[in-house]
Amino acid sequence: RSLKAECFETLTVLSKALLDLQVNDLSDQHYGALSCPECKVYHTRAAEAVYPFAVVYQQTGDTTYRSAAVRLTNWLIKQQFPDGRWKETPWEWAGTTADQLLMMACAYPILKPALSPDEQLRWMQSMKQAANYLVKEMSPDYASINYCATTPATLAMTHRLIPDSSYLVKAKQLARWTIAKMDDAGFIQGEAARAHGVKYGVDLGYE
């Protein structure tokens, strides 16, 4: 078996588990969201499942996942603040806007044919607002290095859908900064305890 086949099988299992958590009651204000059985919070970060859902649909043709992805993102858009950010509910942190936008930008080309003209407009406006927020706010002073490493990919993907030179300028700045922080072995320092103004430790997942 190939690595790709093994990964897709795992992705399908995980996506099915998330699909079972989706709110499908049209009368519920959180229609389309994924409910958390542990803390009963509708985490905005859970909406990053839009891309896994879109990939499962693309690979299998199962429209259940396409519909779930559309409902989930329509809910996420309603949670967006006017300045383009999403809070990482139940906390105030908004750096995860980089992750949410990346998943939207990756999923949009797959899902676009299934979106109504109004939905297409709202998705594009939402992505533009989020990208503008990242251009304005994302920096090493604002976030840990993993967000500064993710944001270049996010803005580059968004630029493919919404051409804007400011996205590429910011992406290149953050990408160069991330590379400059790599050690001789190619690793970067991740989130860890801060002591005397310095963060220690490496999260290998960032690599």
Side-chain angles (χ1 to χ4, degrees):
R1 287 172 56 86
S2 69
L3 177 60
K4 181 177 180 180
E6 291 286 355
C7 289
F8 183 70
E9 183 175 314
T10 301
L11 177 68
T12 303
V13 172
L14 294 173
S15 296
K16 177 61 168 62
L18 292 172
L19 187 67
D20 291 341
L21 298 176
Q22 189 163 47
V23 178
N24 293 312
D25 182 357
L26 276 168
S27 64
D28 193 308
Q29 64 173 328
H30 291 291
Y31 173 69
L34 301 183
S35 62
C36 177
E38 293 298 322
C39 62
K40 313 304 179 186
V41 170
Y42 297 98
H43 300 285
T44 51
R45 287 213 69 180
E48 292 170 31
V50 60
Y51 185 53
F53 284 170
V55 170
V56 173
Y57 158 67
Q58 185 182 48
Q59 295 297 317
T60 66
D62 187 342
T63 57
T64 301
Y65 288 93
R66 182 185 66 186
S67 299
V70 173
R71 290 195 299 268
L72 180 57
T73 305
N74 285 341
W75 171 83
L76 178 65
I77 290 172
K78 293 177 182 178
Q79 315 311 310
Q80 192 172 27
F81 283 75
D83 63 359
R85 66 194 157 100
W86 283 286
K87 288 183 181 180
E88 186 182 354
T89 52
W91 303 285
E92 295 297 310
W93 174 238
T96 49
T97 299
D99 302 291
Q100 291 152 327
L101 174 56
L102 179 60
M103 296 299 98
M104 281 185 69
C106 289
Y108 183 79
I110 300 171
L111 301 172
K112 181 179 178 180
L115 300 176
S116 68
D118 179 63
E119 285 175 322
Q120 291 180 26
L121 178 61
R122 284 190 285 113
W123 283 43
M124 293 291 280
Q125 289 176 335
S126 176
M127 288 189 286
K128 183 175 179 62
Q129 286 178 294
N132 290 344
Y133 174 80
L134 293 174
V135 168
K136 180 181 178 182
E137 300 293 343
M138 188 56 68
S139 72
D141 293 330
Y142 172 74
S144 298
I145 195 168
N146 54 311
Y147 296 100
C148 294
T150 300
T151 298
T154 301
L155 292 176
M157 288 299 299
T158 305
H159 176 74
R160 292 182 178 184
L161 304 173
I162 308 168
D164 188 317
S165 60
S166 68
Y167 300 165
L168 294 185
V169 170
K170 185 72 171 190
K172 289 177 180 178
Q173 289 174 346
L174 291 173
R176 291 188 181 114
W177 182 84
T178 301
I179 291 170
K181 293 298 181 181
M182 288 182 176
D183 62 22
D184 291 340
F187 288 100
I188 58 175
Q189 294 239 340
E191 294 176 316
R194 183 181 292 274
H196 307 294
V198 178
K199 276 193 173 184
Y200 293 92
V202 173
D203 182 332
L204 297 183
Y206 293 165
E207 310 307 332

